Amino acid sequence: MKENYHTHTRRCNHAFGNDEDYVKAAISSGIKVLGFSDHAPYRLPEECDSWYRMKPEQTEEYVESLLKLRERYKDKIDIKIGFEAELYPDYFEDLLKTIGRYPIDYLILGQHYNYNELNAHYCGDPTDDTALLDNYVDTCIRAIRSGRFTYIAHPDIFRYTGSDDIYRERMLRLCAEARGAGIPLELNLLGLRDGRHYPSERFFRIAGEAGAGVILGIDAHSPDEIRSAPEADARRFAGRCGVNIVNTVKLRNPL
């Protein structure tokens, strides 16, 4: 891999290592473009325990740290600054205000919950509720049409246990929308390495049928995960599913 845009930091409370260690790991692994995309600093209601993301007041330090590293290692690697964000309609404009004061290069969509995190469904929990599947797909399509997101992280995170025909019809619509907008779908290497329910062959065979572009994302939560990213396994997975991997992506200005 020469480019990776899915990299977290310790600020999200479930990643490890300092920022510079991620950069050094990427350089030693032959990566030429390293995008940091920690979980976006949504300002949610106090009763919502959004433990897995940085706080809004950490945004400035996050950006300043990465700007310093960008300058320090400019001759060895191109560092991009972004966030992995859900599209929470009630809070998205406030998020844009929070990050809008900084030189942010891109957003990737990682829709972990339906609606928001307050009494909401986690997309990785099994469900046969078609209304929730519809909401997930509609939200992803809304994000694509907003023009603010560079790609969709783990688009197959939604764990639908209902009808295969319904799943195929909904996800074919999502993949076709992404293809039409030139938005890649991420084949997530963290899920592949850990044996999660994603990446899903069921989903990526649909993506292949739709002709959607697919990008590899390490989803690194430690520097070692960059060094040990299962790229060869991911490429074999993509081959089985008949999808085309894109090796680079045009960053979309989210602001």
Side-chain angles (χ1 to χ4, degrees):
M1 291 177 65
K2 298 299 182 183
E3 301 182 11
N4 173 61
Y5 296 96
H6 199 164
T7 312
H8 293 279
T9 77
R10 55 177 171 72
R11 298 169 188 82
C12 70
N13 303 306
H14 62 287
F16 307 92
N18 64 54
D19 300 343
E20 189 168 15
D21 287 341
Y22 285 89
V23 174
K24 290 179 177 179
I27 293 170
S28 68
S29 300
I31 290 174
K32 300 302 182 183
V33 182
L34 181 65
F36 282 87
S37 51
D38 213 352
H39 292 284
Y42 262 111
R43 186 178 290 106
L44 299 173
E46 289 185 4
E47 61 268 31
C48 181
D49 182 21
S50 190
W51 62 270
Y52 76 101
R53 65 179 69 253
M54 71 168 67
K55 298 182 183 303
E57 54 267 29
Q58 293 178 291
T59 307
E60 183 170 353
E61 187 271 332
Y62 170 72
V63 174
E64 287 183 352
S65 172
L66 299 183
L67 286 174
K68 290 177 182 177
L69 291 170
R70 175 186 286 175
E71 177 63 22
R72 185 178 305 159
Y73 290 95
K74 63 183 179 182
D75 295 331
K76 296 182 178 180
I77 195 167
D78 185 7
I79 294 174
K80 303 297 186 183
I81 304 172
F83 293 99
E84 179 184 9
E86 296 83 358
L87 178 58
Y88 293 155
D90 292 341
Y91 305 103
F92 189 61
E93 289 302 319
D94 181 71
L95 172 66
L96 294 178
K97 290 179 182 178
T98 298
I99 67 175
R101 296 180 289 126
Y102 305 100
I104 303 304
D105 296 308
Y106 70 104
L107 295 177
I108 58 176
L109 179 74
Q111 195 69 28
H112 297 87
Y113 288 86
N114 289 95
Y115 307 108
N116 56 61
E117 292 158 47
L118 190 63
N119 300 318
H121 172 257
Y122 173 62
C123 293
D125 288 341
T127 181
D128 61 0
D129 189 333
T130 302
L132 289 175
L133 174 63
D134 285 340
N135 173 262
Y136 175 78
V137 171
D138 289 345
T139 302
C140 289
I141 290 175
R142 179 174 176 177
I144 291 169
R145 292 178 178 176
S146 76
R148 297 185 186 274
F149 293 89
T150 289
Y151 77 65
I152 302 179
H154 42 63
D156 45 347
I157 191 173
F158 197 94
R159 202 170 184 178
Y160 183 67
T161 58
S163 162
D164 281 341
D165 289 340
I166 290 175
Y167 181 85
R168 182 181 180 282
E169 190 276 330
R170 277 24 174 214
M171 290 307 189
L172 189 59
R173 185 164 66 92
L174 170 57
C175 293
E177 188 80 27
R179 180 205 63 216
I183 298 289
L185 305 171
E186 180 196 73
L187 200 166
N188 188 276
L189 273 63
L190 174 64
L192 186 63
R193 180 179 54 246
D194 290 354
R196 300 185 179 187
H197 68 281
Y198 61 88
S200 159
E201 287 200 20
R202 177 172 69 157
F203 175 87
F204 279 100
R205 290 185 187 280
I206 295 169
E209 180 181 344
V214 171
I215 190 167
L216 303 183
I218 295 176
D219 198 357
H221 287 73
S222 74
D224 284 343
E225 290 176 359
I226 293 178
R227 297 187 187 94
S228 62
E231 178 185 357
D233 291 342
R235 292 187 181 278
R236 284 192 289 270
F237 179 99
R240 289 198 303 272
C241 296
V243 297
N244 294 319
I245 293 178
V246 298
N247 295 312
T248 189
V249 64
K250 180 181 178 180
L251 301 184
R252 296 171 185 250
N253 187 335
L255 303 175

